[in-house]
Amino acid sequence: MQTLGHNYLFIHQNFPGQFRHIAARLAQLPGNRVVSIGQPQSVAIKGVSHIAYKPKRLPAKSTHRYLIGMESAVLAGQAVAEVLLGLKQKGFTPDVVVAHPGWGEGLYLQDIFPDAKIFHFSEFYYQVEGADAGFDPEQPLSPDERARVRTRNALHLLNLEQCDVAISPTWWQRSVHPQAYHDKIQVIHEGVDTTLAKPDDTAEVTLPDGRVLTKQNKVITFVARNLEPYRGFPQFLRAMAALQARRNDFEVLIVGADSVSYGAAPVGFANWREKLLQEIPLDLSRIHFMGKLPYVDYLKVLQISSAHVYLSYPFVLSWSMLEAMACGCLVLGSRTAPVQEVLEHGHNGLLVDFFAPAALADQLAEVLDAAPQTWSGLRTAARQTILNRYTVEQGFAQWQALLARELADFGYHRRLTKNSNRTDL
């Protein structure tokens, strides 16, 4: 397959995000020129020229709350447009643009580079029923919130209209988009680096008090970017309380920050951890909040896990569940659509009801009581699932095939001009 000699532009507020592997690998191919754009918190990667941008202002305080996200998107789109015009003046014309358009960064791409092939990462399309909104009885969806959810999809419809191809990482995430666009949406998961995320019987985790945990200990693990209801944090802590009421022979390692990625912050509390720890009786001497960890240390947590709990609303599937499976964890996942696309009960993991902390505690007790070899088949099958379907190599191969097909259909290859490979971008 021929992807050589093209100019690629990646746009992601938090670059590299989902584009880490494809951008890096395309940059390694001879003749390619790869440029990325992101906000100041984004990170440059080897071989990719990176440009940081910042919107000129925040949305106005007077903006209708349904439209705050849209105004923010327009501001981001305008700021990125200025960067794009600068690239154009320097002689860089992308053949392919790959953007995560969820924050509005791709709004004006077509107007500046009308001949580029535009790929949008269509991660999610919000629903008022059947997905995340209104799923949790503790977070009911008011009529006002229903209207806000409907309105926020205006940006996503613009994004779907303005791209040549859309990409969703899972079939379920594709399914929540409007049926009229399904033919436009390809399913490609970016993949897990299974050379890093893998079993390691020698892994150790040192606790703040100096104790060292290994696979010989009984360790329950829980991971989320932020500890919040969308990822079942309240249900998990309630299950831990139920389990601690019966026994004290296990440790709990919780990885994640105290901010909010999705949904709302709790009223009257700094974060969800503070609120829940006031409500739920727990022995905190055996529950260890690890915060955010360097990737290698995070993997060690997974590698010593006796049982890894992954709970999620019907929403975007987390990398952490796939990385846990790649590490050979016994994953106890919620019986929700995104999880069930990957996790099959009794084959490569165990499924539990999202809203049944007592049942989760029962299942964890069964796991902890059994001999380790009891679950070895599920652990092996979990890693094999990732090797069969979710590796970086498979993700890049799918991207390569898609790019070759779309560029061939597009009917041209990059024009070789004296400015095409300028490096002063």
Side-chain angles (χ1 to χ4, degrees), residues 11 40 84 116 153 174 207 229 242 301 314 344 387 396:
I11 306 175
L84 299 179
N153 278 330
R174 173 183 180 266
L207 300 177
V301 169
E344 182 182 346
L387 293 175
F396 184 60

Side-chain angles (χ1 to χ4, degrees), residues 14-94:
N14 302 306
F15 185 84
Q18 293 90 348
F19 305 148
R20 176 181 298 277
H21 302 301
I22 179 178
R25 292 189 178 213
L26 286 173
Q28 292 169 4
L29 295 177
N32 282 345
R33 179 82 172 101
V34 184
V35 176
S36 62
I37 298 172
Q39 289 202 7
Q41 72 272 15
S42 59
V43 179
I45 61 175
K46 184 178 179 180
V48 177
S49 299
H50 186 63
I51 302 169
Y53 82 92
K54 188 175 181 180
K56 287 185 171 61
R57 64 173 178 85
L58 296 173
K61 292 182 179 179
S62 59
T63 298
H64 192 292
R65 80 180 198 93
Y66 295 177
L67 296 175
I68 289 173
M70 192 65 191
E71 185 178 0
S72 179
V74 169
L75 291 165
Q78 286 181 317
V80 169
E82 289 186 7
V83 175
L84 299 179
L85 290 169
L87 287 173
K88 195 171 187 177
Q89 290 173 354
K90 292 179 179 179
F92 181 82
T93 300

Side-chain angles (χ1 to χ4, degrees), residues 91-304:
F92 181 82
T93 300
D95 298 323
V96 172
V97 181
V98 182
H100 191 314
W103 301 281
E105 294 166 313
L107 275 174
Y108 311 116
L109 269 169
Q110 270 190 339
D111 303 300
I112 299 170
F113 293 121
D115 293 330
K117 199 76 173 178
I118 297 175
F119 296 76
H120 276 172
F121 188 76
S122 294
E123 191 168 24
F124 201 67
Y125 189 91
Y126 290 91
Q127 308 286 322
V128 294
E129 293 178 356
D132 61 317
F135 170 74
D136 190 341
E138 294 183 29
Q139 307 288 325
L141 195 64
S142 68
D144 181 60
E145 279 298 300
R146 289 174 71 94
R148 187 185 65 84
V149 169
R150 287 199 184 280
T151 305
R152 75 184 301 182
N153 278 330
L155 172 62
H156 301 305
L157 285 171
L158 279 171
N159 293 332
L160 287 165
E161 279 294 318
Q162 294 186 99
C163 67
D164 296 291
V165 181
I167 308 295
S168 284
T170 68
W171 288 99
W172 183 78
Q173 285 167 254
R174 173 183 180 266
S175 75
V176 298
H177 289 80
Q179 181 71 38
Y181 294 96
H182 282 191
D183 289 345
K184 198 175 195 177
I185 304 174
Q186 302 294 310
V187 177
I188 301 177
H189 195 281
E190 59 273 11
V192 172
D193 188 342
T194 54
T195 66
L196 297 175
K198 61 183 179 181
D200 182 0
D201 291 340
T202 68
E204 296 181 347
V205 173
T206 301
L207 300 177
D209 64 7
R211 284 186 295 152
V212 176
L213 301 180
T214 71
K215 285 184 70 70
Q216 306 309 310
N217 300 99
K218 294 180 179 180
V219 180
I220 296 171
T221 55
F222 181 90
V223 172
R225 186 196 315 174
N226 284 297
L227 305 176
E228 57 190 330
Y230 258 70
R231 298 311 189 192
F233 183 53
Q235 286 74 21
F236 175 72
L237 287 188
R238 289 165 188 151
M240 293 305 94
L243 195 58
Q244 284 186 336
R246 307 183 203 176
R247 57 200 300 164
N248 63 359
D249 62 341
F250 65 96
E251 307 287 341
V252 181
L253 301 184
I254 299 174
V255 178
D258 285 322
S259 187
V260 173
S261 297
Y262 316 110
V267 177
F269 295 89
N271 52 62
W272 283 103
R273 174 164 60 136
E274 179 185 290
K275 173 179 170 58
L276 293 166
L277 290 183
Q278 286 199 19
E279 297 174 357
I280 303 171
L282 291 162
D283 176 4
L284 294 180
S285 69
R286 291 186 175 273
I287 296 181
H288 312 284
F289 291 93
M290 313 295 285
K292 287 186 175 180
L293 292 175
Y295 191 68
V296 64
D297 295 329
Y298 151 69
L299 290 180
K300 288 177 181 177
V301 169
L302 298 178
Q303 288 162 343
I304 69 164

Side-chain angles (χ1 to χ4, degrees), residues 376-408:
S376 60
L378 271 63
R379 292 175 176 273
T380 299
R383 177 165 173 81
Q384 194 61 48
T385 297
I386 304 305
L387 293 175
N388 290 346
R389 295 163 52 188
Y390 297 103
T391 65
V392 168
E393 291 74 20
Q394 288 163 324
F396 184 60
Q398 289 176 288
W399 265 107
Q400 281 187 303
L402 176 62
L403 289 169
R405 184 168 67 249
E406 292 298 322
L407 285 172

